Amino acid sequence: TQLLEQSPQFLSIQEGENLTVYCNSSSVFSSLQWYRQEPGEGPVLLATVVTGGEVKKLKRLTFQFGDARKDSSLHITAAQPGDTGLYLCAGGFEDTGRRALTFGSGTRLQVQP
Amino acid sequence: EADIYQTPRYLVIGTGKKITLECSQTMGHDKMYWYQQDPGMELHLIHYSYGVNSTEKGDLSSESTVSRIRTEHFPLTLESARPSHTSQYLCASSAPTGGTEKLFFGSGTQLSVL
């Protein structure tokens, strides 16, 4: 059973466009993290959201956590080629007793110059 | 910057060989993890450790084994490699930050078994 669903799976856009990627679950997250991974490297943490309804802005990236803490989104404004990569959400769950983060399947973003 | 290192970066070996993937961190983190990832796909947790002499299997069944004799070192061993083991293996350690865990990843080992 896939606990974390990410959409879209693939996204190819032009430089300067805006985009949003989503992360959804039927379970409640205790926390939700977003990572970006470049080819041949490990994921790097972008942001963590922990409170229902939380909105966190980091330069051109905006992270939202749903009120019920079952979903999250990442919005990128004015995308740049350097934003290209695999975006992964990772959740800690309250109701499954999981002791490590569970990762979603990822959204592969390509930004064309 | 995180200080977590994996060696080798790339490994090509024949079927039946025994291999050990090395992972070391210098941050003093108690928690360490091994994830398996196929190209462009999600990460699957295969092993984790809460500290010295503490190891547990993750969500994805794996024929590999791990050990945690020292805090900084968390090697993964395959006794007899098979082509189905071909994948990228990512090691991570974590530290508690604001009520949650922040993961620091190594650069990974890309394993190819012929």
Side-chain angles (χ1 to χ4, degrees):
Chain A
T1 301
Q2 178 62 42
L3 291 179
L4 277 168
E5 297 284 348
Q6 286 190 245
S7 60
Q9 282 187 294
F10 304 98
L11 190 56
S12 181
I13 61 172
Q14 295 296 125
E15 182 175 2
E17 293 183 9
N18 302 332
L19 66 117
T20 303
V21 298
Y22 301 91
C23 178
N24 295 284
S25 175
S26 57
S27 300
V28 176
F29 300 123
S30 57
S31 65
L32 195 290
Q33 300 182 355
W34 284 94
Y35 290 80
R36 185 167 73 96
Q37 183 180 22
E38 297 186 18
E41 297 295 330
V44 176
L45 179 66
L46 297 174
T48 302
V49 286
V50 295
T51 306
E54 180 178 352
V55 178
K56 181 174 286 188
K57 291 188 178 182
L58 297 172
K59 297 184 180 178
R60 295 181 294 103
L61 276 59
T62 302
F63 305 87
Q64 275 194 293
F65 204 12
D67 291 339
R69 292 189 293 146
K70 292 185 177 182
D71 57 273
S72 180
S73 65
L74 161 59
H75 182 80
I76 301 179
T77 303
Q80 299 174 0
D83 295 327
T84 293
L86 179 67
Y87 288 80
L88 296 158
C89 65
F93 290 89
E94 289 183 347
D95 64 349
T96 63
R98 292 178 173 272
R99 302 175 72 184
L101 291 177
T102 295
F103 281 81
S105 53
T107 293
R108 181 161 295 283
L109 171 66
Q110 185 167 24
V111 182
Q112 307 282 359
Chain B
E1 282 296 317
D3 294 317
I4 180 163
Y5 307 100
Q6 289 186 244
T7 57
R9 284 294 305 270
Y10 306 94
L11 182 60
V12 181
I13 60 168
T15 297
K17 299 292 185 183
K18 177 180 178 179
I19 61 167
T20 296
L21 308 185
E22 302 288 347
C23 177
S24 295
Q25 51 98 2
T26 58
M27 297 171 282
H29 292 165
D30 287 326
K31 296 180 182 178
M32 295 189 73
Y33 313 82
W34 277 102
Y35 286 88
Q36 186 174 340
Q37 183 185 33
D38 291 327
M41 302 297 286
E42 66 204 278
L43 279 70
H44 293 285
L45 182 68
I46 52 176
H47 298 283
Y48 60 96
S49 169
Y50 277 176
V52 172
N53 294 324
S54 156
T55 62
E56 296 190 38
K57 290 189 176 296
D59 302 324
L60 182 67
S61 175
S62 174
E63 295 165 342
S64 59
T65 59
V66 292
S67 63
R68 190 87 183 278
I69 299 173
R70 304 197 316 264
T71 297
E72 62 270 22
H73 196 212
F74 191 37
L76 180 145
T77 299
L78 274 168
E79 291 292 333
S80 180
R82 295 205 303 270
S84 60
H85 296 139
T86 294
S87 188
Q88 182 176 28
Y89 293 84
L90 288 161
C91 179
S93 68
S94 71
T97 305
T100 186
E101 295 287 326
K102 177 178 180 179
L103 264 65
F104 297 89
F105 283 87
S107 297
T109 294
Q110 181 61 51
L111 174 65
S112 295
V113 184
L114 306 178

Coordinates of all heavy atoms in Angstrom, one line a residue, chain A residues 2 4 9-10 30-33 35 37 39-45 48 50 86 88 98-106 108, chain B residues 9-10 31 33 35 37 39-45 48 50 56 59 88 90 97-108:
Chain A
Q2 N 0.6 2.1 -1.0 CA 1.4 3.4 -1.1 C 0.7 4.4 -0.1 O -0.4 4.8 -0.3 CB 1.3 3.9 -2.5 CG 2.0 5.2 -2.7 CD 3.5 5.1 -2.4 OE1 4.1 4.1 -2.8 NE2 4.0 6.1 -1.7
L4 N 1.9 7.4 0.6 CA 2.1 8.8 0.2 C 2.0 8.9 -1.3 O 2.8 8.3 -2.0 CB 3.4 9.4 0.6 CG 3.5 9.9 2.0 CD1 5.0 10.1 2.4 CD2 2.7 11.2 2.2
Q9 N 3.5 13.0 -11.6 CA 4.7 12.2 -11.6 C 5.8 12.9 -12.4 O 7.0 12.9 -12.0 CB 4.5 10.9 -12.2 CG 3.7 9.9 -11.3 CD 3.7 8.5 -12.0 OE1 3.0 8.3 -13.0 NE2 4.4 7.6 -11.4
F10 N 5.4 13.6 -13.5 CA 6.4 14.3 -14.3 C 5.9 15.6 -14.7 O 4.7 15.8 -14.8 CB 6.7 13.5 -15.6 CG 7.2 12.1 -15.4 CD1 6.3 11.0 -15.5 CD2 8.5 11.8 -15.1 CE1 6.7 9.7 -15.3 CE2 8.9 10.5 -14.9 CZ 8.0 9.5 -15.0
S30 N 2.4 13.4 11.3 CA 2.9 14.2 12.4 C 3.8 15.3 11.9 O 3.9 16.3 12.6 CB 3.6 13.2 13.4 OG 4.7 12.6 12.7
S31 N 4.4 15.1 10.8 CA 5.2 16.1 10.2 C 5.3 15.8 8.7 O 5.2 14.6 8.3 CB 6.6 16.3 10.8 OG 7.3 15.1 10.6
L32 N 5.7 16.7 7.9 CA 5.8 16.5 6.5 C 7.1 17.3 6.0 O 7.2 18.5 6.3 CB 4.6 17.0 5.7 CG 4.3 16.5 4.3 CD1 5.3 17.2 3.3 CD2 4.4 15.0 4.1
Q33 N 7.9 16.6 5.3 CA 9.1 17.2 4.8 C 9.2 17.1 3.3 O 8.6 16.2 2.7 CB 10.4 16.5 5.3 CG 10.4 16.5 6.9 CD 11.7 15.9 7.4 OE1 12.5 15.3 6.7 NE2 11.9 16.0 8.7
Y35 N 11.9 17.2 0.0 CA 13.3 17.1 -0.4 C 13.4 17.3 -1.9 O 12.5 17.0 -2.6 CB 13.8 15.7 0.0 CG 14.0 15.4 1.4 CD1 12.9 15.1 2.2 CD2 15.2 15.5 2.0 CE1 13.0 14.8 3.6 CE2 15.4 15.2 3.4 CZ 14.3 14.9 4.2 OH 14.5 14.6 5.5
Q37 N 16.1 16.1 -5.0 CA 17.2 15.2 -5.3 C 17.6 15.4 -6.7 O 16.8 15.4 -7.7 CB 16.8 13.7 -5.1 CG 17.9 12.7 -5.3 CD 17.4 11.3 -5.1 OE1 16.2 11.0 -5.2 NE2 18.3 10.4 -4.9
P39 N 20.2 14.1 -9.9 CA 20.7 12.8 -10.4 C 22.1 12.5 -9.8 O 23.0 13.4 -9.7 CB 20.8 13.0 -11.9 CG 19.8 14.1 -12.2 CD 19.8 15.0 -11.1
G40 N 22.2 11.3 -9.3 CA 23.5 10.9 -8.7 C 23.8 11.4 -7.3 O 24.9 11.1 -6.8
E41 N 22.8 12.0 -6.7 CA 23.0 12.6 -5.4 C 21.9 12.1 -4.4 O 20.9 11.6 -4.9 CB 23.1 14.1 -5.4 CG 24.2 14.7 -6.2 CD 25.6 14.3 -5.6 OE1 25.7 14.2 -4.4 OE2 26.6 14.2 -6.4
G42 N 22.1 12.3 -3.1 CA 21.1 12.0 -2.2 C 20.1 13.2 -2.0 O 20.5 14.3 -2.4
P43 N 18.9 13.0 -1.5 CA 18.0 14.1 -1.4 C 18.5 15.1 -0.4 O 19.2 14.7 0.6 CB 16.7 13.3 -0.8 CG 16.9 11.9 -1.2 CD 18.4 11.7 -1.2
V44 N 18.1 16.3 -0.6 CA 18.4 17.4 0.3 C 17.2 18.0 0.8 O 16.3 18.4 0.1 CB 19.3 18.5 -0.4 CG1 19.6 19.7 0.6 CG2 20.6 17.9 -0.9
L45 N 17.1 18.2 2.2 CA 15.9 18.8 2.8 C 15.6 20.2 2.4 O 16.6 21.1 2.4 CB 16.0 18.7 4.3 CG 14.8 19.2 5.1 CD1 13.6 18.3 4.8 CD2 15.1 19.3 6.6
T48 N 10.3 21.7 6.3 CA 9.5 20.8 7.1 C 8.3 21.6 7.6 O 8.4 22.8 8.0 CB 10.3 20.3 8.4 OG1 11.4 19.7 8.0 CG2 9.4 19.4 9.2
V50 N 4.8 21.3 10.2 CA 4.4 20.4 11.3 C 3.0 20.8 11.8 O 2.4 20.0 12.5 CB 5.4 20.5 12.5 CG1 6.7 19.9 12.1 CG2 5.6 21.9 13.0
L86 N 14.2 15.8 -8.8 CA 13.1 15.0 -8.3 C 12.7 15.5 -6.9 O 13.5 15.6 -6.0 CB 13.6 13.5 -8.1 CG 12.6 12.5 -7.6 CD1 11.5 12.3 -8.5 CD2 13.3 11.2 -7.3
L88 N 10.6 15.1 -3.6 CA 10.1 14.0 -2.7 C 9.5 14.6 -1.5 O 10.1 15.4 -0.8 CB 11.2 13.1 -2.3 CG 11.9 12.3 -3.5 CD1 13.3 11.8 -3.0 CD2 11.0 11.1 -3.9
R98 N 5.0 4.1 12.8 CA 6.2 4.0 12.0 C 7.3 4.8 12.7 O 7.1 5.9 13.3 CB 6.0 4.6 10.6 CG 5.1 3.8 9.8 CD 4.8 4.4 8.4 NE 4.1 3.5 7.6 CZ 4.7 2.6 6.8 NH1 6.0 2.5 6.8 NH2 4.0 1.8 6.1
R99 N 8.5 4.2 12.7 CA 9.6 4.8 13.4 C 10.6 5.5 12.5 O 11.6 5.9 12.9 CB 10.3 3.8 14.2 CG 9.3 3.1 15.2 CD 9.9 1.9 15.9 NE 10.9 2.4 16.9 CZ 11.6 1.6 17.6 NH1 11.5 0.3 17.5 NH2 12.5 2.0 18.5
A100 N 10.3 5.6 11.2 CA 11.1 6.3 10.3 C 10.2 6.9 9.2 O 9.1 6.6 9.1 CB 12.1 5.3 9.6
L101 N 10.8 7.9 8.5 CA 10.0 8.6 7.5 C 9.6 7.7 6.4 O 10.4 6.8 6.0 CB 10.8 9.8 7.0 CG 11.0 11.0 7.9 CD1 11.9 12.0 7.2 CD2 9.7 11.6 8.4
T102 N 8.4 8.0 5.8 CA 8.0 7.3 4.6 C 8.0 8.3 3.4 O 7.5 9.4 3.6 CB 6.6 6.7 4.8 OG1 6.6 5.7 5.8 CG2 6.1 6.1 3.5
F103 N 8.6 7.9 2.3 CA 8.8 8.8 1.2 C 7.7 8.5 0.2 O 7.3 7.4 -0.1 CB 10.2 8.6 0.6 CG 11.2 9.3 1.3 CD1 11.8 8.8 2.4 CD2 11.7 10.6 0.9 CE1 12.8 9.4 3.1 CE2 12.7 11.3 1.6 CZ 13.2 10.7 2.7
G104 N 7.3 9.6 -0.5 CA 6.4 9.4 -1.7 C 7.2 9.0 -2.9 O 8.4 8.9 -2.9
S105 N 6.5 8.8 -4.0 CA 7.1 8.4 -5.2 C 7.8 9.5 -6.0 O 8.6 9.2 -6.9 CB 6.1 7.7 -6.1 OG 5.0 8.5 -6.3
G106 N 7.6 10.7 -5.6 CA 8.3 11.8 -6.2 C 7.6 12.4 -7.4 O 6.8 11.8 -8.1
R108 N 9.0 14.4 -10.8 CA 10.3 14.7 -11.6 C 10.0 16.0 -12.4 O 9.1 16.0 -13.2 CB 10.7 13.6 -12.5 CG 11.9 13.9 -13.3 CD 12.6 12.7 -13.9 NE 13.1 11.8 -12.8 CZ 14.2 12.0 -12.1 NH1 14.9 13.0 -12.3 NH2 14.5 11.1 -11.2
Chain B
R9 N 31.1 5.0 -4.6 CA 30.0 5.7 -5.3 C 29.4 4.8 -6.3 O 28.2 4.8 -6.5 CB 30.6 7.0 -6.0 CG 30.8 8.1 -5.1 CD 29.6 8.7 -4.4 NE 28.5 9.1 -5.4 CZ 28.4 10.3 -5.9 NH1 29.2 11.2 -5.6 NH2 27.4 10.5 -6.8
Y10 N 30.3 4.0 -7.0 CA 29.8 3.1 -8.0 C 30.5 1.8 -7.8 O 31.6 1.7 -7.4 CB 30.1 3.6 -9.4 CG 29.6 5.0 -9.7 CD1 30.4 6.1 -9.5 CD2 28.3 5.2 -10.1 CE1 30.0 7.4 -9.7 CE2 27.9 6.5 -10.4 CZ 28.7 7.6 -10.2 OH 28.2 8.8 -10.4
K31 N 20.5 8.1 15.1 CA 19.7 7.4 14.1 C 20.3 7.4 12.7 O 20.8 8.4 12.2 CB 18.3 8.0 14.0 CG 17.5 7.9 15.3 CD 16.2 8.6 15.2 CE 15.4 8.5 16.5 NZ 14.1 9.2 16.4
Y33 N 20.0 5.3 8.7 CA 19.0 4.6 7.8 C 19.7 4.1 6.5 O 20.7 4.8 6.0 CB 17.9 5.5 7.4 CG 17.3 6.3 8.6 CD1 17.9 7.5 9.0 CD2 16.1 5.9 9.2 CE1 17.3 8.2 10.0 CE2 15.6 6.6 10.2 CZ 16.2 7.8 10.6 OH 15.6 8.5 11.7
Y35 N 18.3 3.4 2.6 CA 17.2 3.4 1.7 C 17.7 2.8 0.3 O 18.8 2.9 0.0 CB 16.7 4.8 1.4 CG 15.9 5.4 2.5 CD1 16.5 6.1 3.6 CD2 14.5 5.3 2.6 CE1 15.8 6.7 4.6 CE2 13.8 5.8 3.6 CZ 14.4 6.5 4.6 OH 13.7 7.1 5.6
Q37 N 16.7 2.8 -3.8 CA 16.0 3.6 -4.7 C 16.4 3.2 -6.2 O 17.5 3.3 -6.6 CB 16.4 5.1 -4.5 CG 15.6 6.1 -5.5 CD 16.0 7.5 -5.3 OE1 17.2 7.8 -5.1 NE2 15.1 8.5 -5.5
P39 N 16.0 4.2 -10.3 CA 16.2 5.5 -10.9 C 14.9 6.3 -11.0 O 13.9 5.8 -11.5 CB 16.7 5.1 -12.3 CG 17.4 3.9 -12.1 CD 16.6 3.1 -11.1
G40 N 14.9 7.5 -10.4 CA 13.8 8.4 -10.4 C 12.6 8.0 -9.6 O 11.5 8.5 -9.8
M41 N 12.8 6.9 -8.8 CA 11.6 6.4 -8.1 C 11.7 6.7 -6.6 O 12.6 7.4 -6.1 CB 11.6 4.9 -8.3 CG 11.5 4.4 -9.7 SD 9.9 5.0 -10.5 CE 8.8 3.9 -9.7
E42 N 10.7 6.3 -5.8 CA 10.7 6.6 -4.4 C 11.8 5.8 -3.7 O 12.4 4.9 -4.2 CB 9.3 6.2 -3.9 CG 9.1 4.7 -3.9 CD 7.6 4.3 -3.9 OE1 7.0 4.3 -2.8 OE2 7.1 4.1 -5.0
L43 N 12.0 6.3 -2.5 CA 13.0 5.6 -1.6 C 12.2 4.6 -0.8 O 11.2 4.9 -0.2 CB 13.6 6.7 -0.7 CG 14.7 7.5 -1.2 CD1 14.3 8.5 -2.2 CD2 15.5 8.2 -0.1
H44 N 12.8 3.4 -0.6 CA 12.3 2.4 0.2 C 13.2 2.1 1.4 O 14.4 1.8 1.2 CB 12.1 1.1 -0.6 CG 11.0 1.2 -1.6 ND1 9.7 1.2 -1.3 CD2 11.1 1.3 -3.0 CE1 9.0 1.3 -2.4 NE2 9.8 1.3 -3.4
L45 N 12.7 2.2 2.6 CA 13.5 2.0 3.7 C 13.8 0.5 3.9 O 12.9 -0.3 3.9 CB 12.8 2.5 5.0 CG 13.5 2.3 6.3 CD1 14.7 3.2 6.4 CD2 12.6 2.6 7.5
Y48 N 17.1 0.4 9.5 CA 17.4 1.6 10.3 C 18.0 1.2 11.7 O 17.8 0.0 12.1 CB 16.2 2.5 10.4 CG 15.0 2.0 11.1 CD1 14.7 2.1 12.4 CD2 14.0 1.3 10.3 CE1 13.5 1.7 13.0 CE2 12.9 0.8 10.9 CZ 12.6 1.0 12.2 OH 11.5 0.5 12.8
Y50 N 18.7 2.9 15.7 CA 18.5 3.9 16.7 C 19.7 4.2 17.5 O 19.8 5.2 18.3 CB 17.3 3.6 17.7 CG 16.0 3.9 17.1 CD1 14.8 3.6 17.8 CD2 15.8 4.6 15.9 CE1 13.6 3.9 17.3 CE2 14.6 4.9 15.4 CZ 13.5 4.6 16.1 OH 12.2 4.9 15.6
E56 N 17.0 -2.5 12.9 CA 15.7 -3.1 12.6 C 15.5 -3.1 11.1 O 16.1 -2.2 10.4 CB 14.6 -2.3 13.2 CG 14.6 -2.3 14.7 CD 13.4 -1.7 15.4 OE1 12.3 -1.9 14.8 OE2 13.5 -1.0 16.4
D59 N 10.7 -1.2 5.7 CA 9.4 -1.6 5.0 C 9.7 -2.6 3.9 O 8.9 -3.5 3.6 CB 8.7 -0.4 4.4 CG 8.4 0.7 5.5 OD1 8.1 0.2 6.6 OD2 8.5 1.9 5.2
Q88 N 20.3 1.9 -6.5 CA 21.0 2.8 -5.8 C 20.7 2.7 -4.3 O 19.5 2.5 -3.9 CB 20.7 4.3 -6.2 CG 21.6 5.3 -5.4 CD 21.3 6.7 -5.9 OE1 20.3 7.1 -6.4 NE2 22.4 7.6 -5.8
L90 N 21.1 4.4 -0.6 CA 21.3 5.7 0.1 C 21.3 5.5 1.6 O 20.4 4.9 2.1 CB 20.2 6.7 -0.3 CG 20.2 7.2 -1.7 CD1 18.9 7.8 -2.1 CD2 21.3 8.3 -1.9
T97 N 14.8 17.9 15.1 CA 14.7 19.3 14.9 C 13.3 19.8 15.0 O 12.4 19.4 14.2 CB 15.2 19.7 13.5 OG1 16.5 19.2 13.3 CG2 15.3 21.2 13.3
G98 N 13.0 20.5 16.1 CA 11.7 21.0 16.3 C 10.6 20.0 16.3 O 9.5 20.2 15.7
G99 N 10.8 18.9 16.9 CA 9.8 17.8 17.1 C 9.8 16.8 15.9 O 8.9 15.9 16.0
T100 N 10.6 17.0 14.9 CA 10.7 16.0 13.9 C 12.1 15.7 13.6 O 13.0 16.2 14.2 CB 10.0 16.6 12.6 OG1 9.9 15.6 11.6 CG2 10.7 17.8 12.1
E101 N 12.3 14.8 12.7 CA 13.7 14.3 12.3 C 14.1 15.0 11.0 O 13.4 14.9 10.0 CB 13.7 12.8 12.2 CG 13.5 12.1 13.5 CD 14.6 12.2 14.5 OE1 15.8 12.2 14.1 OE2 14.3 12.2 15.7
K102 N 15.3 15.5 11.0 CA 15.8 16.0 9.7 C 16.9 15.0 9.2 O 17.8 14.7 9.9 CB 16.5 17.4 10.0 CG 17.2 18.0 8.7 CD 17.8 19.3 9.0 CE 18.5 19.9 7.8 NZ 19.1 21.2 8.0
L103 N 16.6 14.5 8.0 CA 17.5 13.5 7.4 C 18.6 14.2 6.6 O 18.4 15.1 5.9 CB 16.7 12.6 6.5 CG 16.3 11.3 7.2 CD1 15.3 11.6 8.3 CD2 15.7 10.4 6.1
F104 N 19.8 13.7 6.8 CA 21.0 14.0 6.0 C 21.4 12.8 5.2 O 21.7 11.8 5.8 CB 22.1 14.5 6.9 CG 21.8 15.7 7.7 CD1 21.3 15.6 9.0 CD2 22.1 17.0 7.2 CE1 21.0 16.7 9.7 CE2 21.8 18.1 8.0 CZ 21.3 18.0 9.2
F105 N 21.5 12.9 3.9 CA 21.8 11.8 3.0 C 23.2 11.9 2.5 O 23.8 12.9 2.3 CB 20.8 11.8 1.8 CG 19.5 11.3 2.1 CD1 18.5 12.2 2.6 CD2 19.1 9.9 2.0 CE1 17.2 11.7 2.8 CE2 17.9 9.5 2.2 CZ 16.9 10.4 2.7
G106 N 23.8 10.7 2.3 CA 25.0 10.6 1.6 C 24.7 10.7 0.1 O 23.5 10.8 -0.3
S107 N 25.8 10.6 -0.7 CA 25.6 10.7 -2.1 C 25.2 9.4 -2.8 O 24.8 9.4 -4.0 CB 26.9 11.2 -2.8 OG 27.2 12.5 -2.3
G108 N 25.1 8.3 -2.0 CA 24.7 7.1 -2.5 C 25.7 6.2 -3.1 O 26.8 6.6 -3.5

